[in-house]
Amino acid sequence: MARPFTAESGTGCNKGYKLIVLGVESSCDETAAAICSNNKILSTIVSSQIIHSNFGGVVPELASREHELLLNTIVNQALAEACIQKQDLDGIAVTRGPGLAGTLLAGVCFAKGLAQGLEKPIIGINHLEAHIFANFLANPELKFPFVCLLVSGGHTQLWLVKDMENYTLMGTSRDDAAGEAFDKGARILGLGYPGGPEIEKLGKNANPKAVDFPRAFLKDEKLEFSFSGLKTALLYFMDSRKDNNISLEDIAASYQQAIIDVLVEKLAQAVMKANVKTCVIAGGVAANKALRKAFESRLASIIVLYPDLSLCTDNAAMVAYLGELYLRKGVSSAMDFDIDPNLKLA
Ligand code: KG4
Ligand code: ZN
């Protein structure tokens, strides 16, 4: 049953805050908690699980166990940094999907226990929506409508965001997501996980034109992506590498450039199609500096926004912020709400 929401001033050193929301994020391998009040982030703690780096990807069972071990500490740290007592919270927002079933369960069960114990409202949050709304935290002046390129480890999507809860999917990937292409590419190149930052670092001062990797649908008007062919091309290229003397740095830069070219072109097409003046980029891949630069030069005539690096990759600040927006609208979840590993945005 949904609990009635009452926004009351807090106590102690948080006096004056009208609404204080705890955000909890555990959809993959980041254990995160944050406190948001009146659309401002008072604290944000992210613990990235390094345990997976030996495996070249996230091991779901290990990730769930790590969340269970860490959640209490991370939440207490977020409360302490914000100078907030648990009892001062007005609500709890927690990611309910999409993500890994076990890791989502760890976060949702923890948040439900806390909400029930404190008799506070709880709201289940869509992780994709939170990524999009991270842009409002970074750019409070951002106005609807805008196009969002959502590029995370599991999703590459173009959304027309007309208003809160009014989202139209303009395009998506047929197979791998851009983040997945970075991660799988890094594995082929013998780099660590997550692959995006590794490839970016290796290719930073290298030649992005050294290898002409395929760019699927680049000239096609359809707003579709496909990255599995690129990954296979890299695999074949590395197999035949002894026949050429192209450096690993140049290969990484060329591989990254192939991903960037497609993302930039498709975002430009989507902006034209939607006829909007603003676009935003969200999700972990948006942290890529070469990608940001490419957007700025290709889309010079429109406003291109992206969150700070720490708000691109998984965090709980975006969850707490979106939770506050919903709680303000009087929306909360029934205590028996479930996780949904395949949760869609629209
Ligand atoms: O949004 P996110 O943190 O988690 C998901 O919701 O999936 O995105 C993770 C993805 C990973 O695939 C990671 O390799 C990629 O974002 N990523 C990057 C960079 N930082 C993280 N990709 C390219 N360049 C980066 N600097
Ligand atoms: Zn994410």
Side-chain angles (χ1 to χ4, degrees), residues 105-164:
L105 262 180
V108 167
C109 288
F110 179 89
K112 280 185 180 180
L114 199 57
Q116 198 132 31
L118 295 169
E119 298 195 358
K120 305 287 179 181
I122 188 166
I123 172 121
I125 293 289
N126 184 317
H127 182 81
L128 304 179
E129 191 179 12
H131 267 307
I132 294 175
F133 274 73
N135 276 284
F136 285 99
L137 268 179
N139 304 286
E141 305 304 311
L142 176 61
K143 299 263 183 306
F144 300 110
F146 56 85
V147 167
C148 176
L149 173 67
L150 179 59
V151 269
S152 65
H155 296 83
T156 297
Q157 298 175 329
L158 283 159
W159 289 98
L160 174 57
V161 181
K162 291 185 204 134
D163 204 341
M164 192 168 172

Side-chain angles (χ1 to χ4, degrees), residues 127 131 152-154 179-180 182-183 194-197 200 283-285 287-288 312-314:
H127 182 81
H131 267 307
S152 65
E180 217 174 336
F182 272 111
D183 295 337
E200 180 174 22
V285 180
N288 189 288
C312 290
T313 46
D314 286 349

Side-chain angles (χ1 to χ4, degrees), residues 15-166:
K15 246 191 196 109
Y17 294 139
K18 292 281 187 297
L19 183 53
I20 304 169
V21 177
L22 165 70
V24 176
E25 158 64 35
S26 68
S27 65
C28 194
D29 57 338
E30 260 88 28
T31 313
I35 307 289
C36 184
S37 180
N38 289 356
N39 304 332
K40 295 251 170 342
I41 299 303
L42 305 185
S43 67
T44 173
I45 312 285
V46 180
S47 170
S48 299
Q49 302 177 357
I50 47 168
I51 193 167
H52 309 285
S53 56
N54 296 334
F55 299 94
V58 177
V59 183
E61 183 54 38
L62 290 181
S64 310
R65 281 189 233 163
E66 286 283 299
H67 286 306
E68 277 167 15
L69 281 175
L70 276 177
L71 271 162
N72 197 39
T73 309
I74 299 290
V75 165
N76 282 334
Q77 224 174 312
L79 287 163
E81 249 184 47
C83 228
I84 300 284
Q85 305 291 316
K86 279 191 185 91
Q87 296 72 16
D88 299 337
L89 293 171
D90 294 302
I92 297 170
V94 59
T95 302
R96 63 173 285 253
L100 299 168
T103 63
L104 289 167
L105 262 180
V108 167
C109 288
F110 179 89
K112 280 185 180 180
L114 199 57
Q116 198 132 31
L118 295 169
E119 298 195 358
K120 305 287 179 181
I122 188 166
I123 172 121
I125 293 289
N126 184 317
H127 182 81
L128 304 179
E129 191 179 12
H131 267 307
I132 294 175
F133 274 73
N135 276 284
F136 285 99
L137 268 179
N139 304 286
E141 305 304 311
L142 176 61
K143 299 263 183 306
F144 300 110
F146 56 85
V147 167
C148 176
L149 173 67
L150 179 59
V151 269
S152 65
H155 296 83
T156 297
Q157 298 175 329
L158 283 159
W159 289 98
L160 174 57
V161 181
K162 291 185 204 134
D163 204 341
M164 192 168 172
E165 298 184 88
N166 187 346

Side-chain angles (χ1 to χ4, degrees), residues 161-231:
V161 181
K162 291 185 204 134
D163 204 341
M164 192 168 172
E165 298 184 88
N166 187 346
Y167 317 120
T168 306
L169 185 63
M170 299 183 74
T172 186
S173 177
R174 281 193 184 185
D175 39 56
D176 293 350
E180 217 174 336
F182 272 111
D183 295 337
K184 288 176 176 171
R187 206 178 313 166
I188 296 169
L189 292 170
L191 306 173
Y193 177 87
E198 296 281 319
I199 289 183
E200 180 174 22
K201 200 163 70 187
L202 186 66
K204 193 166 172 225
N205 298 311
N207 176 13
K209 293 187 178 151
V211 188
D212 186 19
F213 284 117
R215 286 139 167 88
F217 303 128
L218 191 67
K219 298 279 172 246
D220 198 305
E221 280 188 13
K222 269 192 249 152
L223 293 174
E224 278 191 284
F225 302 90
S226 168
F227 293 105
S228 67
L230 171 64
K231 169 196 66 191

Side-chain angles (χ1 to χ4, degrees), residues 264 288-298 306:
V264 169
N288 189 288
K289 294 201 188 72
L291 177 70
R292 291 171 173 229
K293 234 169 136 181
F295 281 127
E296 277 164 15
S297 56
R298 174 67 176 84
Y306 18 66

